[in-house]
Amino acid sequence: MLKKSRKAVALTGAGVSTESGIPDFRSVGGLWSRFDPFEYGTLGAFQRDPHKVWQMLKELLLLVDCRPNKGHEAMARLEEMGIVRGIITQNIDGLHQLAGSRHVVEFHGSMASFSCLGCGAKMPLAEVKEMAMPPLCSGCRSVLKPDVVFFDEQIPPKALLDTEELLCGVDLLLVVGTSCEVMPAALIPRQVLGQGGELIEINLVPVLKGRARLSLAGKFTEVMSAIVDQMTES
Ligand SMILES: [Zn+2]
């Protein structure tokens, strides 16, 4: 299917980063089981009490020290081989880029940069990590917010545009490590099906049965490495 496709793209989610030590935020013991998303995961909550929301964000800061795994590397290799054109990721960890993927759309933003809601100043992660918590804008002393999309925020227009551009003409979508529950990212597989494309699902526990042409149940690192091995052998 990959070889026959005219344009293949991947949609990834939390499941690709769990083997890098980043827990699924929705899992038992995950971030959202310990921090109520309505109290900690919304822009409204941040504006009301940024110091409180930073108790949760501090944990996210630790995650960015994680390293890409063999699956991330295999996906970068598929792009290098011209087999996958790009990745739309729901992850905010930047691991695809660290592994060498070049065309990555960060649908939910990323932890790579921070913005001051007071004056709009931008601050890179490296500087924020050195600051006392919660980090304050050096200009106006407002609390900085990571450039991730909170639950009550819209997907950034740039991410939507880049997604549309990447999905244009796609006839094969790899759905990897995501249960496709979160809107509007959940619409992406539907869009590809709607334009006559097909889905290959790679999940520990397949969720797209009936919609995916092929469901590969297995660990991300193992399945992706096996795909690259097969593509390079033949
Ligand atoms: Zn400021």
Side-chain angles (χ1 to χ4, degrees), residues 30 32 42 45 63 80 84 88 90 95 113 128 150 165 196 220 223:
W32 300 132
T42 66
L63 298 181
E80 198 181 280
V84 168
I88 301 158
Q90 300 165 80
L95 292 182
S113 63
V128 170
F150 280 32
E165 197 183 310
F220 169 59
V223 176

Side-chain angles (χ1 to χ4, degrees), residues 110-207:
S110 89
M111 290 292 286
S113 63
F114 292 72
S115 295
C116 171
L117 297 183
C119 72
K122 290 256 180 196
M123 201 71 74
L125 172 67
E127 283 182 41
V128 170
K129 278 171 81 175
E130 302 302 319
M131 294 176 175
M133 292 293 134
L136 303 179
C137 171
S138 50
C140 72
R141 310 306 288 167
S142 298
V143 181
L144 295 173
K145 173 190 172 290
D147 291 334
V148 297
V149 178
F150 280 32
F151 286 112
D152 55 347
E153 285 189 283
Q154 301 290 317
I155 304 300
K158 172 88 166 72
L160 286 177
L161 275 175
D162 291 348
T163 299
E164 279 312 308
E165 197 183 310
L166 192 55
L167 287 180
C168 183
V170 164
D171 60 349
L172 182 60
L173 180 73
L174 300 176
V175 178
V176 195
T178 173
S179 54
C180 296
E181 279 170 353
V182 181
M183 294 298 268
L187 296 173
I188 293 170
R190 272 185 239 173
Q191 181 175 337
V192 170
L193 288 174
Q195 62 195 41
E198 294 185 308
L199 311 178
I200 294 179
E201 169 186 20
I202 301 164
N203 268 328
L204 212 49
V205 181
V207 290

Side-chain angles (χ1 to χ4, degrees), residues 15 19 21 28 43 54 57 147:
E19 288 173 83
V28 179
L43 184 60
W54 260 100
L57 292 172
D147 291 334

